Every structure is written in structure tokens, then in C-alpha cells.
Amino acid sequence: MDDASEEVQRVSDALEEVDRIPDLEERVRARNQVLALQAQKTRDWHAERRNLVLALREEDPPVTIRAIAARLQMSPGVVQDIIRGHTGSWQNRPKAED
């Protein structure tokens, strides 16, 4: 197991521990703290991911969308969305021009 996988497993284990808190109020308070932290981390992590994807596309020659997807373990569609600057749900996507 590589270092990244070990860290992800540790986070997963910690979340499972929160789910095992026996007192409902205490468990909900802990979950609220995790959700607040996650909201901040999500913004930061998305920005860092976007910067890396764009940097890889700017290399000479540019790294392909499929190669970026494979390297970063995400779908090519997500890579395309990042390159296009799209964030949010499908409902918020601009309509295709005729």
C-alpha cells in the first residue's frame, strides 16, 4: 500500500469511528464538525486539483485528457469539466449552442 492509500485509509477509519459514537447528540455534533472541515478542504482541494490539471495541459506537448485522468484516478469527463471551468451540478451547465 502506498503512502497516499494509507492516508486515505486512516481518514476512512476515523470517519467510521465518528459513526460509532454511541450518543446520538454527540455523534451529530462530531459529524457537523467534520462536515464544516470538509467544506473548507473541498474548496482548497478542488483549486489544487484544477491547478494541476491545467498545468499538465500546458506542458509541451500537452498531457492528454485520458492520461491526466489515469494519473489522477478520475474520469476523463471530470478532467474535461475542470479544463472547461465547469463546477456544480448538471442542472447548472450552460445550454449547448445550436
Side-chain angles (χ1 to χ4, degrees):
M1 186 178 283
D2 63 11
D3 288 344
S5 295
E6 289 177 22
E7 289 301 319
V8 170
Q9 185 60 53
R10 288 178 49 199
V11 170
S12 179
D13 292 346
L15 291 173
E16 291 297 324
E17 287 299 316
V18 169
D19 285 344
R20 285 194 278 273
I21 295 172
D23 181 79
L24 177 59
E25 284 189 40
E26 187 178 343
R27 184 170 58 247
V28 169
R29 281 193 298 272
R31 286 175 175 168
N32 285 339
Q33 291 172 355
V34 170
L35 289 170
L37 177 61
Q38 181 220 349
Q40 179 59 48
K41 291 292 184 187
T42 297
R43 284 189 292 274
D44 297 344
W45 291 4
H46 279 196
E48 186 173 53
R49 178 177 70 173
R50 183 172 196 283
N51 291 339
L52 178 57
V53 167
L54 295 178
L56 291 170
R57 286 297 284 176
E58 291 175 4
E59 288 185 0
D60 188 23
V63 180
T64 67
I65 288 171
R66 289 187 184 279
I68 293 170
R71 281 173 63 171
L72 302 182
Q73 298 179 345
M74 63 177 73
S75 75
V78 171
V79 175
Q80 286 178 320
D81 283 347
I82 292 168
I83 291 168
R84 292 176 182 151
H86 176 73
T87 59
S89 72
W90 280 87
Q91 295 174 349
N92 299 330
R93 289 179 187 254
K95 300 287 183 196
E97 294 182 22
D98 291 331

